[in-house]
């Protein structure tokens, strides 16, 4: 159920320049796990001088938008929650989309931050004004100015459609997995699913029993591991509810087990052999047909691309009404798909499960920094680089949640998000305490930080595993993932370091507080 709050509940003063724009000290863009988490942190600290702009009609971000059949998390439930708001009510070890969305909604209600949101409000542009030391923000619901702008726009929010000849000419149903058309009835139809990533391996088993025929178009075979999913027993649920220490112990054990994968992913790729043997044994057991098994066997080291978990994807491919197509798509016609070998397959509907704009998000094109260049232009020139995933040179008084090199391939992003929230909250408090008007990470500091990062990444499975993935930007650098243990990321962001930033005081004078500059260790 959608629960909306309009800006009638939020009274803001107009900007002093007479433009009619409403002014707020801190403006957060996006209300998924990251933006909502920061809003709660600021509220708990007693701050009321912030606002959250959310383009959707409710909190939740990707868990609000991805409602396709079979949608579920691939991180264990006990890790997939805020540390300050553990959920004793998870029904199973791996939660499904409706349950995760309800959790996010309940947390927003519990901490009473809905009235700090402007829903159905899309940011269409943001530009730094050096004269006023403020951000000028345009939205679908009017103009705002703010002293501090925080981007909480997640990486998995802008669906990517494939560049296929004729796709606009298709006359049947066509929609992206992240924009599922629930008015479309697929039962009894001939359906094509394009893509074999994390969403597709959940969609295929969910719709295969309903459709007349299902063609799955695979460009690259993913590595699949067992999904250790089960309902929680009544004694477990009671223990989680009435003995919080039990849930925290379970959470810690799962965290430690997941964190051990970092050794193979980022430190010593041959250590991934154990997981690969598990995946190969799963393949042999679940795909008895040798010809099909050859098609779904990856040709790269496990971990190079995102590792997926499923117990029903391989069996679904073995159904009589399912065909795995590995020939590339040449074109899409009004009622069919034609592959490179000339085969034409008649279809009634297409589900596009081709992922998201991660390293080339359209959101980068509408944010303009101090020198007038957009984020997209800055990234096009030097790659997607930032400092601690939380600040980017040329963008004063702007912080990023889920910025460059914060992503993970093995455990919960909520852990990284909370680490960044603490850092950004401390940055805001530090600026207040020191009377700072502007804060901008120094380019030299950012460059050193990224040299260190890319040095760590050079020997990782993501760059040595023999695959091409959405982890890499146009420069061939992995600007998506954190190449170390997550507890080191948290330690690195434990305290804001103003010495890494160029700062000015309220009277416009330059200031550089003494502080140790901490690079990635």
């Amino acid at each position: 159920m959608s629960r909306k709050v309009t800006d009638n509940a939020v009274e803001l003063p107009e900007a002093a320049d007479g433009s009619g724009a409403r002014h707020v000290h801190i403006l957060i863009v996006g209300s998924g796990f990251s933006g909502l988490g920061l809003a709660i942190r600021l509220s708990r600290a007693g701050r009321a001088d912030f606002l959250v702009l959310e383009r959707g009609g409710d909190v939740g971000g990707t868990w609000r938008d991805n409602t396709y059949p079979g949608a579920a998390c691939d991180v264990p439930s006990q890790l997939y929650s805020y540390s300050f708001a553990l959920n004793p009510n998870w029904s199973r070890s791996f939660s499904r989309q409706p349950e995760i969305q309800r959790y996010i909604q309940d947390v927003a209600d519990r901490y009473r931050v809905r009235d700090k949101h402007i829903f159905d409000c899309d940011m269409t542009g943001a530009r730094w004004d050096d004269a006023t030391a403020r951000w000028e923000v345009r939205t679908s619901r009017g103009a705002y100015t703010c002293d501090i702008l925080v981007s909480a726009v997640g990486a998995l929010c802008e669906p990517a459609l494939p560049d296929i000849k004729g796709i606009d000419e298709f006359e049947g149903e066509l929609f992206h997995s992240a924009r599922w058309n629930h008015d479309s009835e697929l039962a009894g139809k001939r359906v094509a699913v394009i893509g074999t990533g994390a969403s597709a391996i959940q969609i295929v088993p969910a719709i295969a029993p309903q459709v007349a025929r299902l063609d799955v178009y695979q460009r690259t075979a993913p590595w699949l591991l067992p999904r250790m999913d089960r309902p929680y027993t009544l004694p477990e649920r009671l223990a989680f509810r009435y003995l919080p220490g039990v849930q925290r112990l379970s959470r810690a054990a799962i965290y430690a087990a997941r964190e051990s994968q970092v050794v193979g992913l980022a430190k010593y790729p041959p250590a991934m052999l154990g997981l690969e043997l598990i995946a190969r044994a799963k393949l042999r057991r679940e795909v008895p047909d040798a010809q099909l098994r050859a098609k779904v066997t990856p040709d790269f080291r496990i971990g190079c691309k995102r590792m997926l978990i499923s117990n029903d994807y391989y069996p679904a491919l073995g159904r009589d009404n399912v065909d795995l197509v590995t020939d590339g798509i040449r074109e899409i016609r009004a009622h069919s798909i034609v592959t490179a070998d000339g085969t034409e397959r008649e279809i009634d509907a297409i589900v596009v499960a081709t992922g998201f704009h991660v390293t080339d998000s359209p959101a980068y094109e509408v944010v303009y920094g101090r020198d007038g260049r957009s984020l997209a232009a800055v990234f096009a020139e030097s790659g997607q680089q930032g400092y601690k995933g939380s600040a980017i040179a040329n963008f004063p008084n702007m912080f990023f949640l889920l910025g460059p090199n914060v992503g993970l391939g093995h455990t919960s992003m909520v852990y990284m998000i909370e680490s960044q929230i603490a850092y950004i909250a401390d940055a805001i408090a530090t600026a207040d305490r020191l009377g700072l008007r502007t804060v901008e990470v120094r380019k030299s500091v950012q460059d050193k930080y990224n040299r260190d990062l890319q040095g760590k990444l050079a020997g990782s499975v993501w760059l040595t595993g023999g695959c091409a993935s959405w982890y890499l930007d146009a420069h061939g650098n992995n600007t998506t993932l954190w190449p170390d243990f997550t507890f080191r990321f948290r330690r690195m962001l434990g305290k804001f370091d103003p010495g890494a930033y160029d700062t000015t005081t309220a009277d416009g004078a330059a200031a550089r507080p003494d502080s140790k500059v901490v690079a990635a260790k």
Side-chain angles (χ1 to χ4, degrees):
M1 174 173 33
S2 177
R3 291 173 278 184
K4 298 183 180 181
V5 175
T6 71
D7 59 356
N8 293 332
V10 182
E11 296 183 4
L12 297 174
E14 289 191 6
D17 60 5
S19 64
R22 288 163 286 184
H23 180 73
V24 65
H25 184 46
I26 305 163
L27 199 59
I28 303 167
V29 181
S31 189
F33 260 107
S34 57
L36 177 62
L38 180 59
I40 292 171
R41 175 68 176 253
L42 296 176
S43 179
R44 294 177 76 187
R47 304 197 72 121
D49 52 356
F50 70 91
L51 195 64
V52 185
L53 305 183
E54 170 52 56
R55 70 179 182 180
D58 200 355
V59 297
T62 189
W63 294 107
R64 177 198 61 228
D65 295 340
N66 284 266
T67 59
Y68 58 80
C73 191
D74 57 5
V75 172
S77 301
Q78 298 305 333
L79 282 186
Y80 213 69
S81 61
Y82 297 113
S83 63
F84 58 83
L86 298 188
N87 182 15
N89 300 315
W90 293 126
S91 65
R92 55 193 313 113
S93 55
F94 284 84
S95 302
R96 295 169 182 168
Q97 179 270 333
E99 195 169 13
I100 297 172
Q101 176 64 359
R102 283 196 301 273
Y103 165 76
I104 298 171
Q105 292 171 326
D106 290 344
V107 170
D109 291 337
R110 187 189 320 171
Y111 289 95
R112 300 179 180 179
V113 292
R114 282 184 177 272
D115 63 351
K116 304 301 291 183
H117 284 67
I118 308 295
F119 290 111
D120 299 313
C121 183
D122 189 15
M123 185 183 77
T124 58
R127 187 178 294 273
W128 173 254
D129 185 342
D130 233 6
T132 61
R134 285 180 172 178
W135 283 95
E136 299 175 346
V137 180
R138 300 188 313 276
T139 81
S140 59
R141 301 189 64 180
Y144 295 84
T145 62
C146 63
D147 303 306
I148 297 171
L149 181 64
V150 181
S151 170
V153 178
L156 307 181
C157 67
E158 295 290 346
L161 293 175
D163 183 16
I164 300 174
K165 178 184 176 182
I167 192 169
D168 293 332
E169 308 303 319
F170 183 66
E171 295 182 3
E173 294 278 359
L174 187 151
F175 47 87
H176 193 279
S177 59
R179 301 292 184 267
W180 194 270
N181 182 3
H182 290 278
D183 293 328
S184 176
E185 180 55 66
L186 298 181
K189 292 184 178 179
R190 300 165 298 181
V191 180
V193 172
I194 301 177
T196 52
S199 299
I201 68 159
Q202 295 180 344
I203 292 169
V204 167
I207 68 173
Q210 308 166 14
V211 303
R213 195 188 77 228
L214 180 59
D215 297 326
V216 181
Y217 287 84
Q218 171 188 284
R219 184 173 61 179
T220 305
W223 281 110
L224 263 64
L225 292 167
R227 185 179 182 85
M228 310 301 288
D229 188 22
R230 63 177 180 81
Y232 282 127
T233 65
L234 178 60
E236 286 175 312
R237 295 199 304 271
L238 291 174
F240 292 155
R241 176 176 289 276
Y242 297 110
L243 300 171
V246 172
Q247 188 172 24
R248 291 197 177 277
L249 182 61
S250 173
R251 180 182 172 100
I254 295 171
Y255 171 80
R258 287 274 173 149
E259 201 71 358
S260 67
Q261 294 182 23
V262 175
V263 175
L265 291 170
K267 308 292 185 182
Y268 183 64
M272 297 299 293
L273 178 60
L275 285 178
E276 184 170 322
L277 291 175
I278 293 172
R280 288 188 181 277
K282 176 182 176 66
L283 256 174
R284 288 192 300 271
R285 183 177 65 254
E286 296 182 0
V287 189
D289 181 87
Q291 187 175 5
L292 177 59
R293 188 165 63 245
K295 288 183 177 182
V296 296
T297 300
D299 60 359
F300 53 88
R301 177 174 282 164
I302 192 170
C304 184
K305 294 171 74 76
R306 183 176 176 180
M307 295 179 290
L308 308 179
I309 58 173
S310 175
N311 296 333
D312 49 14
Y313 178 68
Y314 286 150
L317 294 182
R319 292 177 58 94
D320 291 339
N321 68 327
V322 178
D323 186 20
L324 181 71
V325 183
T326 56
D327 293 308
I329 298 175
R330 188 172 73 193
E331 65 175 312
I332 296 176
R333 296 176 180 171
H335 301 285
S336 64
I337 293 179
V338 182
T339 50
D341 64 353
T343 302
E344 182 174 7
R345 294 173 174 84
E346 298 289 331
I347 52 170
D348 304 306
I350 299 176
V351 176
V352 180
T354 48
F356 300 84
H357 291 283
V358 177
T359 59
D360 61 342
S361 172
Y364 301 156
E365 299 174 1
V366 300
V367 179
Y368 292 83
R370 179 175 40 79
D371 65 2
R373 290 184 300 160
S374 67
L375 264 174
V378 170
F379 288 162
E381 178 182 309
S382 57
Q384 191 172 335
Q385 298 181 8
Y387 178 61
K388 298 185 177 182
S390 306
I392 297 175
N394 188 53
F395 295 86
N397 287 16
M398 184 172 186
F399 295 98
F400 295 80
L401 287 159
L402 302 175
N405 288 106
V406 175
L408 300 173
H410 68 287
T411 192
S412 175
M413 280 302 302
V414 182
Y415 186 92
M416 302 292 274
I417 288 168
E418 288 198 56
S419 301
Q420 287 193 283
I421 286 172
Y423 182 78
I424 293 171
D426 191 43
I428 294 170
T430 299
D432 287 348
R433 186 177 69 253
L434 298 179
L436 302 180
R437 185 175 188 238
T438 64
V439 175
E440 179 186 353
V441 66
R442 299 204 305 276
K443 184 66 162 56
S444 59
V445 172
Q446 177 176 290
D447 288 346
K448 181 181 184 307
Y449 176 83
N450 281 277
R451 285 195 300 271
D452 292 345
L453 268 184
Q454 294 305 318
K456 286 178 174 290
L457 283 159
S460 70
V461 70
W462 306 303
L463 293 181
T464 64
C467 75
S469 74
W470 55 266
Y471 296 151
L472 309 181
D473 68 7
H475 298 264
N477 294 321
N478 187 331
T479 57
T480 305
L481 299 179
W482 170 247
D484 208 334
F485 296 104
T486 60
F487 59 80
R488 287 182 174 167
F489 183 82
R490 174 156 294 186
R491 185 171 62 196
M492 184 179 72
L493 272 71
K495 189 172 180 59
F496 180 63
D497 47 346
Y501 293 76
D502 285 327
T503 60
T504 61
T505 57
D507 60 5
R512 183 168 295 170
D514 291 334
S515 178
K516 183 179 180 181
V517 177
V518 183
K521 298 296 184 184

